[in-house]
Coordinates of all heavy atoms in Angstrom, one line a residue:
R1 N -11.5 22.7 -10.2 CA -10.4 21.7 -9.7 C -11.1 20.4 -9.2 O -10.4 19.6 -8.7 CB -9.6 22.4 -8.7 CG -8.8 23.5 -9.3 CD -7.7 24.0 -8.4 NE -7.0 25.1 -9.1 CZ -6.1 25.8 -8.5 NH1 -5.8 25.6 -7.3 NH2 -5.5 26.7 -9.2
W2 N -12.3 20.3 -9.3 CA -13.1 19.2 -8.7 C -12.6 17.9 -9.4 O -12.3 16.9 -8.7 CB -14.6 19.4 -8.9 CG -15.4 18.2 -8.7 CD1 -16.1 17.5 -9.5 CD2 -15.5 17.5 -7.4 NE1 -16.7 16.5 -9.0 CE2 -16.4 16.4 -7.7 CE3 -15.0 17.7 -6.1 CZ2 -16.7 15.5 -6.7 CZ3 -15.4 16.8 -5.2 CH2 -16.2 15.7 -5.4
P3 N -12.5 17.8 -10.8 CA -12.1 16.5 -11.4 C -10.6 16.1 -10.9 O -10.4 14.9 -10.7 CB -12.1 16.8 -12.9 CG -13.0 17.9 -13.0 CD -12.9 18.7 -11.8
L4 N -9.7 17.0 -10.8 CA -8.4 16.7 -10.3 C -8.4 16.1 -8.9 O -7.7 15.1 -8.6 CB -7.5 17.9 -10.4 CG -6.0 17.8 -9.9 CD1 -5.3 16.7 -10.8 CD2 -5.3 19.1 -9.9
A5 N -9.1 16.8 -8.0 CA -9.2 16.3 -6.7 C -9.9 14.9 -6.6 O -9.4 14.1 -5.8 CB -10.0 17.3 -5.8
A6 N -10.9 14.7 -7.4 CA -11.6 13.5 -7.3 C -10.7 12.4 -7.9 O -10.7 11.2 -7.4 CB -12.9 13.5 -8.2
G7 N -9.9 12.6 -8.9 CA -9.0 11.7 -9.4 C -7.9 11.3 -8.4 O -7.5 10.1 -8.3
L8 N -7.4 12.3 -7.7 CA -6.3 12.0 -6.7 C -6.9 11.1 -5.6 O -6.3 10.2 -5.1 CB -5.8 13.3 -6.2 CG -4.8 14.0 -7.1 CD1 -4.5 15.4 -6.5 CD2 -3.6 13.2 -7.4
V9 N -8.1 11.4 -5.1 CA -8.7 10.7 -4.0 C -9.0 9.2 -4.5 O -8.7 8.3 -3.8 CB -10.0 11.4 -3.5 CG1 -10.8 10.5 -2.6 CG2 -9.7 12.7 -2.8
L10 N -9.5 9.1 -5.7 CA -9.8 7.8 -6.3 C -8.5 6.9 -6.4 O -8.5 5.7 -6.1 CB -10.5 7.9 -7.6 CG -11.0 6.6 -8.3 CD1 -12.0 5.9 -7.4 CD2 -11.6 6.9 -9.6
A11 N -7.4 7.5 -6.9 CA -6.1 6.8 -7.0 C -5.6 6.4 -5.6 O -5.1 5.3 -5.5 CB -5.1 7.7 -7.7
L12 N -5.8 7.3 -4.6 CA -5.3 6.9 -3.3 C -6.1 5.8 -2.7 O -5.5 4.8 -2.1 CB -5.4 8.2 -2.4 CG -4.9 8.0 -1.0 CD1 -3.4 7.7 -1.0 CD2 -5.2 9.2 -0.2
V13 N -7.4 5.8 -2.9 CA -8.3 4.7 -2.4 C -8.0 3.4 -3.1 O -7.9 2.3 -2.5 CB -9.8 5.1 -2.5 CG1 -10.7 3.9 -2.3 CG2 -10.1 6.2 -1.6
C14 N -7.8 3.4 -4.4 CA -7.5 2.2 -5.2 C -6.2 1.6 -4.8 O -6.0 0.4 -4.7 CB -7.7 2.4 -6.7 SG -9.3 2.7 -7.2
G15 N -5.2 2.5 -4.7 CA -3.8 2.0 -4.3 C -3.8 1.4 -2.9 O -3.2 0.3 -2.7
T16 N -4.5 2.0 -2.0 CA -4.6 1.4 -0.7 C -5.3 0.1 -0.6 O -4.8 -0.8 0.0 CB -5.3 2.4 0.3 OG1 -4.6 3.7 0.2 CG2 -5.3 1.9 1.7
G17 N -6.4 0.0 -1.4 CA -7.1 -1.2 -1.5 C -6.3 -2.3 -2.1 O -6.3 -3.5 -1.7
G18 N -5.6 -2.0 -3.2 CA -4.7 -3.0 -3.8 C -3.6 -3.5 -2.9 O -3.3 -4.7 -2.9
F19 N -3.0 -2.6 -2.1 CA -2.0 -2.9 -1.2 C -2.5 -4.0 -0.2 O -1.9 -5.0 0.1 CB -1.4 -1.7 -0.5 CG -0.5 -2.0 0.6 CD1 0.8 -2.4 0.4 CD2 -0.9 -1.9 1.9 CE1 1.7 -2.7 1.4 CE2 -0.1 -2.2 3.0 CZ 1.2 -2.6 2.7
F20 N -3.6 -3.6 0.4 CA -4.2 -4.5 1.4 C -4.7 -5.8 0.9 O -4.6 -6.9 1.5 CB -5.2 -3.8 2.3 CG -4.7 -2.8 3.3 CD1 -4.8 -1.5 3.1 CD2 -3.9 -3.3 4.3 CE1 -4.3 -0.6 4.0 CE2 -3.3 -2.4 5.2 CZ -3.5 -1.0 5.0
A21 N -5.1 -5.8 -0.4 CA -5.6 -7.1 -1.0 C -4.4 -8.0 -1.2 O -4.5 -9.2 -1.0 CB -6.3 -6.8 -2.3
V22 N -3.3 -7.5 -1.7 CA -2.1 -8.3 -1.9 C -1.5 -8.8 -0.6 O -1.1 -9.9 -0.4 CB -1.1 -7.6 -2.8 CG1 0.3 -8.3 -2.8 CG2 -1.6 -7.3 -4.2
R23 N -1.4 -7.8 0.3 CA -0.8 -8.2 1.6 C -1.6 -9.2 2.4 O -1.1 -10.1 3.1 CB -0.7 -6.9 2.5 CG 0.0 -7.2 3.7 CD 0.6 -6.0 4.3 NE 1.4 -6.4 5.5 CZ 1.9 -5.5 6.3 NH1 1.8 -4.3 6.1 NH2 2.6 -6.0 7.4
G24 N -2.9 -9.1 2.3 CA -3.8 -10.1 3.0 C -3.9 -11.4 2.3 O -4.5 -12.3 2.8
G25 N -3.4 -11.6 1.1 CA -3.4 -12.8 0.4 C -4.6 -13.0 -0.5 O -4.9 -14.1 -1.0
L26 N -5.4 -12.0 -0.7 CA -6.6 -12.1 -1.5 C -6.2 -12.2 -3.0 O -6.9 -12.9 -3.8 CB -7.5 -10.9 -1.3 CG -8.1 -10.8 0.1 CD1 -8.9 -9.5 0.2 CD2 -9.0 -11.9 0.4
V27 N -5.1 -11.6 -3.4 CA -4.6 -11.6 -4.8 C -3.2 -12.3 -4.7 O -2.3 -11.9 -4.1 CB -4.5 -10.2 -5.3 CG1 -3.9 -10.2 -6.7 CG2 -5.8 -9.5 -5.3
P28 N -3.1 -13.4 -5.5 CA -1.8 -14.1 -5.5 C -0.8 -13.3 -6.3 O -1.1 -12.6 -7.3 CB -2.0 -15.4 -6.2 CG -3.3 -15.2 -7.0 CD -4.1 -14.2 -6.3
V29 N 0.5 -13.2 -5.8 CA 1.5 -12.5 -6.4 C 2.4 -13.5 -7.2 O 2.8 -14.5 -6.7 CB 2.4 -11.7 -5.4 CG1 3.5 -10.9 -6.0 CG2 1.4 -10.8 -4.6
L30 N 2.8 -13.1 -8.5 CA 3.7 -14.0 -9.2 C 5.0 -14.0 -8.6 O 5.5 -12.9 -8.2 CB 3.8 -13.5 -10.7 CG 2.5 -13.6 -11.5 CD1 2.7 -13.0 -12.9 CD2 2.0 -15.0 -11.6
G31 N 5.6 -15.1 -8.5 CA 7.0 -15.3 -7.9 C 7.0 -15.4 -6.4 O 8.0 -15.5 -5.8

């Protein structure tokens, strides 16, 4: 079950990083 757990952790880290990048203004949002 190691690949499944690693995939979930990676998705959680990337999602959190993307959220803070957009919220902090590092990535412009269309509209």
Side-chain angles (χ1 to χ4, degrees):
R1 294 193 180 173
W2 169 247
L4 178 63
L8 288 173
V9 169
L10 185 62
L12 184 63
V13 168
C14 288
T16 305
F19 170 76
F20 284 111
V22 170
R23 185 159 185 186
L26 297 173
V27 179
V29 180
L30 294 178

